[in-house]
Amino acid sequence: MEEFLFFVLVGFIAQLSDGALGMGFGVISSSMLLAQGTPPALVSATVNAAKIPNGSVAAFSHHLNGNIDWRLARKLAIFGAIGGVVGALLLSNLKGRFLHLMIGIYLVLIGALIIRRALRGITPRKLKGRALNLVGGAGGLIEGIGGSWGPIVAPALLGGGVLPRKAIGSSAFGEFIVSIAVVCVLTATFFGGLWGDKSDIAGAVAPIAGLIVGGIPAAFIGGYLARRVPKKPLSVAIGILAFSIGVQRLVIAF
């Protein structure tokens, strides 16, 4: 019961951050699970399983608040799902120090860029075409490996000139679709015996339930906050969060 209540609190805080700033759910919840000694494959499965109900509510909330660019969201979903399937299949091979280092450097650089542009009022050229496909694919790959779509996609969209609330809302819809793809692959690999002997699926029940119970109400609130917060403070907040997560990943790497 204590574990369930703990993850209810984690789910609420993580989903509120994710809904309002476009990132945070995967990073916060996976960090808590890894700290408990949960195997990486089970961490990814747990986080993505919780993201399906939470993500559906978040996407609906962002839709109601006019935060989704559907052309953008569809591209992110398609290429993100492809990347997510690859990431889930390669999970055991790609998890480790190099991955943390790579993601950390990316987030520190993109976070600093977003903050600089927001404070100086610089409007960058908007992402489109192959660059957008690459963002979705990269986000899906990292989502499949460790459940961290938001820190890759939302800062990239914002850094590429997408309006902050549209970046957050479109990313939320893409993340929902990608999570479904990742969970399907991880479920298949689990029943195929590819997780090894250390993974206990029963141990994920309380964390998943807690993340969902805490996350759903926060998902409703997040869409409203993304619409109401002014562009400049929202951009700075996303930049700071991306930069902070990047520093955390670099600390883990070293």
Side-chain angles (χ1 to χ4, degrees):
M1 187 63 179
E2 289 183 4
E3 183 183 26
F4 169 75
L5 293 176
F6 171 73
F7 277 101
V8 169
L9 178 61
V10 171
F12 182 84
I13 295 172
Q15 186 61 55
L16 190 64
S17 170
D18 204 275
L21 300 177
M23 69 188 92
F25 186 85
V27 173
I28 295 171
S29 53
S30 61
S31 296
M32 295 298 174
L33 288 164
L34 287 169
Q36 291 186 334
T38 306
L42 190 54
V43 169
S44 183
T46 300
V47 172
N48 279 287
K51 280 184 178 184
I52 294 175
N54 289 3
S56 65
V57 174
F60 181 64
S61 177
H62 282 297
H63 171 63
L64 290 179
N65 286 281
N67 296 338
I68 299 179
D69 178 334
W70 286 105
R71 182 194 65 82
L72 178 65
R74 282 192 293 270
K75 280 207 164 193
L76 290 174
I78 292 170
F79 287 92
I82 294 170
V85 169
V86 174
L89 290 173
L90 299 179
L91 177 60
S92 60
N93 296 320
L94 293 176
K95 197 78 177 177
R97 180 179 176 184
F98 176 73
L99 183 65
H100 284 297
L101 181 62
M102 183 175 63
I103 296 175
I105 293 172
Y106 163 79
L107 288 174
V108 166
L109 292 176
I110 195 72
L113 178 65
I114 291 170
I115 295 170
R116 176 177 174 272
R117 284 176 172 172
L119 294 177
R120 294 192 176 186
I122 300 172
T123 302
R125 297 173 65 180
K126 198 168 183 178
L127 276 177
K128 54 185 177 181
R130 292 181 180 177
L132 190 57
N133 299 344
L134 181 61
V135 169
L141 181 69
I142 303 304
E143 178 72 15
I145 295 168
S148 297
W149 162 275
I152 302 299
V153 177
L157 295 178
L158 190 58
V162 179
L163 189 68
R165 68 187 186 93
K166 295 289 185 179
I168 294 169
S170 302
S171 174
F173 175 79
E175 184 174 27
F176 166 58
I177 300 300
V178 173
S179 293
I180 295 175
V182 170
V183 168
C184 288
V185 172
L186 290 176
T187 300
T189 56
F190 172 75
F191 286 108
L194 301 180
W195 287 19
D197 298 329
K198 295 181 179 179
S199 298
D200 179 13
I201 196 70
V205 174
I208 291 173
L211 291 172
I212 292 172
V213 171
I216 285 179
F220 275 113
I221 301 170
Y224 174 78
L225 291 177
R227 178 170 68 92
R228 298 295 298 176
V229 178
K231 178 181 176 180
K232 184 174 180 178
L234 186 58
S235 298
V236 172
I238 293 172
I240 291 174
L241 183 57
F243 186 90
S244 301
I245 294 172
V247 170
Q248 180 222 23
R249 291 298 180 101
L250 290 175
V251 170
I252 291 173
F254 289 108

